[in-house]
Amino acid sequence: LIHNLQTPDFSRDNIDFAIVWGKSSSWPQLITHQVVPGDLTPVCTPQYLEKYGAINKPADLRERTLIHDEGPLAWDEWFLKADGKPASLRQSFNIDDTNVRLKTVLDSQGVMLSCPTLLKEYLDKGDLVLLFPEIRLEDYAYFLAYPKDSELNEQAKFFVDWLKSMT
């Protein structure tokens, strides 16, 4: 298992498949199959709202600490969809590790864009709240990926077919 934020290098890393995060159009050299839809929307803890006040409209988020992964691009996309203006992030920081980013939000240190499907356990327990569940970036997802020029053996084809049947 190799964790990497860069596009996988199948020859260098000697791997057959990768699970990648982003938009399917991000990897024109790869065949991709969606595994988990992304549907990014802002989340935080109830304690964060108690400490810093309610967030009633998207513009309120511009005054909050926003946490992002590789860069603020997704926040820019979300704000453009929410109210037609770019993010202009004043207070934000980058955490490229999903687990650390989640822990930071669970510790009430900010707001992140995340996928409600992946956070179901935290949402059901009330540890996290969706701020604007109706405003989602639906182009993001986790994808199974492999090179277009791969000649999959029978075992690999079986795996791909099985994974596609699960989604």
Side-chain angles (χ1 to χ4, degrees), residues 33-79:
H33 304 287
Q34 183 175 303
V35 179
V36 178
D39 293 346
L40 296 177
T41 192
V43 297
C44 68
T45 61
Q47 294 79 13
Y48 182 84
L49 296 173
E50 288 172 19
K51 184 174 182 177
Y52 297 103
I55 298 172
N56 298 312
K57 57 188 181 301
D60 294 343
L61 283 170
R62 287 189 171 83
E63 305 302 319
R64 301 303 174 92
T65 301
L66 303 180
I67 302 167
H68 47 84
D69 53 4
E70 299 170 43
L73 178 62
W75 274 113
D76 276 333
E77 289 180 39
W78 187 86
F79 276 109

Side-chain angles (χ1 to χ4, degrees), residues 21-30 32-34 139-141 143:
W21 167 259
K23 297 179 179 185
S24 62
S25 61
S26 300
W27 312 279
Q29 73 283 19
L30 302 177
T32 59
H33 304 287
Q34 183 175 303
D139 296 339
Y140 289 88
F143 295 91

